[in-house]
């Protein structure tokens, strides 16, 4: 049974009670349907108990345990509550920032571009273009030597691409871990906030009315001051819960950001796979065909070779280059971040800013109204004290 507090308890203070550390596992928002504006408004209007009732039994039990260990009379609780969870969130955000800063995803893209340029500039079709004279046949020996040189360059680039790909695959796995950790941080923050709201609501409903009645009954101005200071402390605790709730929103926004980075890495990994498994074998097979056709042309008239073989090779090479260039350009022109994603994030941020301003306005209006009421209370109390003194 909860001990009923007195004003003497508030004035004297109590021993500190620490909250147990959270052991988050699943994201409480996982699988949730995105609410409409009206649904979100209705959700925000729910009491802490109503919000908690929607959670799984295990979460309800953990929140009850956390709330039961919260001592609102403890010195400094209004600034220290949830600090461990908040500090862990900050550390996690620093880790993400550090990984992003040290990341060099451009290396793989540069290697792919170098490979395409090397193939394009190799002029391995069996003909080379000379100004004024036009196109002349390249001897089979020169063609073979050029192929061997370019082939060695391609093999070197492939080796580097495979190393870059392995690093990207490791990064993708790391981002999966970071995503899970972010979900744990989000759940810990939400449970911490709900536990604080429940403890505050229970205190306001069960303990605060008795303290107010005691202060009114005593008629002591100092007792009234003690109660006023404690109410200010409760208000600061509520503000602390609001800060933690805002941090949880930032944590929630971090999840899609992690996935965006991860998906960009996966796109590059897929492009490397396509290049190594498809583009290069096709290019080498075409080169074998080119070498074979060059041997065949040696027994034919130079003009016939220029008319027949040149058209075939140029057509095939042009088609291959066309397909490669179109596919590469389509892949490069595709936006990593969809415009719908940007619009949604932007609308959410705008809504957050607007709601924050509205809450600040309401808080200011409430404080101004409270100031008027408190001055009236002081005036009435002083008048009563003077009248009482005059009647003695």
């Amino acid at each position: 049974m909860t001990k009923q507090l007195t004003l003497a308890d508030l004035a004297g203070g109590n021993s500190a009670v620490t909250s147990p550390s959270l052991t988050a596992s699943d994201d409480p928002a996982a699988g949730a349907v995105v609410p409409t504006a009206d649904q979100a408004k209705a959700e925000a209007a729910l009491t802490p108990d109503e919000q908690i009732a929607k959670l799984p039994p295990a979460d309800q039990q953990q929140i009850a345990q956390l709330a039961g260990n919260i001592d609102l009379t403890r010195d400094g609780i209004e600034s220290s509550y949830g600090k461990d969870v908040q500090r862990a969130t900050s550390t996690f955000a620093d880790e993400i920032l550090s990984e992003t800063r040290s990341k060099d995803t451009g290396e793989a893209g540069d290697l792919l571009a170098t490979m395409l340029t090397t193939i394009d500039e190799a002029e391995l079709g069996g003909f080379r273009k000379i100004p004024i004279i036009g196109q002349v046949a390249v001897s089979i020996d020169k063609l073979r030597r050029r192929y061997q040189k370019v082939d060695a360059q391609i093999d070197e680039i492939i080796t580097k691409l495979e190393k870059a790909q392995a690093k990207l695959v490791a990064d993708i796995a790391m981002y999966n871990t970071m995503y899970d950790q972010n979900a744990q941080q989000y759940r810990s923050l939400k449970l911490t906030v709900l536990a604080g709201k429940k403890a505050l609501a229970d205190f306001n409903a069960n303990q605060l009315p008795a303290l107010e009645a005691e202060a009114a009954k005593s008629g002591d101005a100092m007792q009234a001051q003690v109660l006023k200071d404690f109410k200010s402390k409760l208000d600061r605790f509520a503000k602390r819960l609001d800060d933690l709730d805002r941090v949880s929103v930032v944590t929630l926004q971090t999840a899609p950001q992690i996935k965006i980075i991860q998906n960009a890495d996966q796109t590059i990994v897929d492009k490397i796979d396509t290049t190594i498994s498809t583009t290069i074998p096709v290019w080498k097979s075409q080169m074998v065909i080119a070498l074979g056709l060059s041997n065949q042309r040696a027994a034919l008239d130079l003009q016939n070779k220029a008319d027949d073989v040149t058209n075939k090779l140029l057509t095939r090479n042009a088609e291959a280059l066309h397909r490669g260039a179109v596919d590469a350009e389509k892949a490069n022109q595709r936006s990593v971040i969809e415009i719908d994603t940007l619009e949604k994030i932007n609308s959410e941020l705008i809504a957050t800013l607007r709601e924050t301003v509205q809450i600040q306005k309401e808080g200011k209006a409430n404080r101004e109204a409270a100031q008027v009421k408190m001055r009236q209370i002081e005036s009435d109390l002083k008048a009563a004290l003077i009248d009482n003194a005059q009647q003695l």
Side-chain angles (χ1 to χ4, degrees):
M1 182 176 180
T2 304
K3 174 182 176 291
Q4 181 64 50
L5 291 175
T6 65
L7 293 175
D9 293 327
L10 299 183
N14 290 319
S15 59
V17 178
T18 57
S19 301
S21 60
L22 290 169
T23 56
S25 57
D26 299 325
D27 183 353
V33 178
V34 178
T36 63
D38 292 338
Q39 291 173 334
K41 185 177 181 180
E43 183 74 18
L46 295 177
T47 65
D49 287 338
E50 290 172 337
Q51 296 179 45
I52 294 171
K54 294 186 174 184
L55 298 179
D59 288 346
Q60 295 183 30
Q61 183 179 0
Q62 185 173 355
I63 290 174
Q65 181 182 2
L66 287 171
N69 288 331
I70 295 174
D71 181 6
L72 294 175
T73 66
R74 177 166 61 88
D75 290 339
I77 190 172
E78 66 274 19
S79 59
S80 63
Y81 179 71
K83 184 168 290 186
D84 291 342
V85 180
Q86 189 177 26
R87 184 181 296 112
T89 301
S90 177
T91 301
F92 178 70
D94 290 340
E95 291 176 358
I96 295 179
L97 182 60
S98 176
E99 290 292 340
T100 303
R101 284 176 175 173
S102 61
K103 190 173 184 57
D104 184 12
T105 57
E107 179 183 1
D110 293 341
L111 289 171
L112 288 170
T114 300
M115 176 175 289
L116 290 175
T117 302
T118 301
I119 295 175
D120 183 56
E121 294 179 350
E123 294 182 351
L124 295 175
F127 286 85
R128 58 189 179 90
K129 191 171 184 179
I130 298 179
I132 303 177
I133 299 178
Q135 292 182 334
V136 297
V138 179
S139 69
I140 186 65
D141 291 336
K142 289 183 179 180
L143 184 60
R144 185 179 290 107
R145 286 196 300 270
R146 186 177 298 169
Y147 167 75
Q148 291 172 347
K149 179 181 178 181
V150 174
D151 187 50
Q153 294 175 346
I154 296 301
D155 289 340
E156 181 180 356
I157 295 175
I158 289 176
T159 300
K160 294 180 180 179
L161 277 174
E162 289 174 340
K163 291 181 179 179
Q165 185 184 40
K167 177 63 170 60
L168 290 172
V169 170
D171 287 347
I172 291 171
M174 175 196 68
Y175 283 124
N176 282 330
T177 301
M178 296 177 75
Y179 185 85
D180 293 339
Q181 291 177 350
N182 186 71
Q184 293 174 1
Q185 293 291 342
Y186 175 74
R187 178 177 180 273
S188 297
L189 284 166
K190 298 302 286 187
L191 295 185
T192 300
V193 170
L194 284 175
K197 288 182 176 180
K198 176 175 175 56
L200 183 60
D202 291 345
F203 187 92
N204 288 336
N206 302 323
Q207 299 273 21
L208 190 58
L211 294 174
E212 292 174 337
E214 181 184 351
K217 182 178 179 180
S218 69
D220 187 347
M222 295 306 298
Q223 294 289 343
Q225 183 62 44
V226 170
L227 180 60
K228 178 181 179 299
D229 290 343
F230 185 69
K231 285 185 176 181
S232 297
K233 179 178 182 177
L234 295 181
D235 184 64
R236 292 194 300 274
F237 182 77
K239 178 63 169 58
R240 173 67 177 170
L241 295 179
D242 180 71
D243 290 342
L244 291 174
D245 201 8
R246 293 171 190 269
V247 173
S248 73
V249 175
V250 175
T251 303
L252 184 62
Q253 290 180 330
T254 303
Q257 295 172 357
I258 294 174
K259 285 300 180 183
I260 288 172
I261 300 174
Q262 186 184 48
N263 290 335
D265 284 357
Q266 186 62 57
T267 298
I268 297 176
V269 169
D270 294 341
K271 288 181 180 179
I272 293 175
D273 276 337
T274 300
T275 300
I276 294 176
S277 63
T278 303
T279 304
I280 299 306
V282 168
W283 171 75
K284 288 185 176 181
S285 66
Q286 289 298 313
M287 191 57 232
V288 171
I289 294 174
L291 290 172
L293 292 175
S294 295
N295 287 324
Q296 183 183 12
R297 287 195 303 270
L300 300 176
D301 181 76
L302 178 61
Q303 185 60 45
N304 289 332
K305 289 189 294 182
D307 292 339
D308 298 333
V309 179
T310 299
N311 289 331
K312 291 180 181 180
L313 288 175
L314 291 179
T315 299
R316 291 176 181 177
N317 288 341
E319 291 175 351
L321 288 175
H322 173 74
R323 288 193 300 270
V326 169
D327 291 342
E329 188 61 25
K330 286 181 179 178
N332 290 332
Q333 291 299 324
R334 181 185 176 187
S335 298
V336 176
I337 304 176
E338 299 294 341
I339 190 65
D340 290 342
T341 301
L342 293 175
E343 288 178 346
K344 180 169 181 57
I345 293 176
N346 195 53
S347 63
E348 292 292 339
L349 292 176
I350 291 174
T352 299
L353 292 174
R354 289 176 177 171
E355 290 176 11
T356 300
V357 171
Q358 182 61 31
I359 291 172
Q360 290 174 348
K361 289 181 178 179
E362 291 175 357
K364 181 178 180 182
N366 290 336
R367 288 193 296 274
E368 290 176 352
Q371 287 292 327
V372 174
K373 291 181 179 180
M374 287 188 292
R375 299 293 79 79
Q376 184 62 45
I377 290 172
E378 289 178 352
S379 177
D380 293 344
L381 181 59
K382 289 178 180 179
L385 291 174
I386 294 173
D387 183 62
N388 187 42
Q390 290 176 349
Q391 291 179 8
L392 293 178

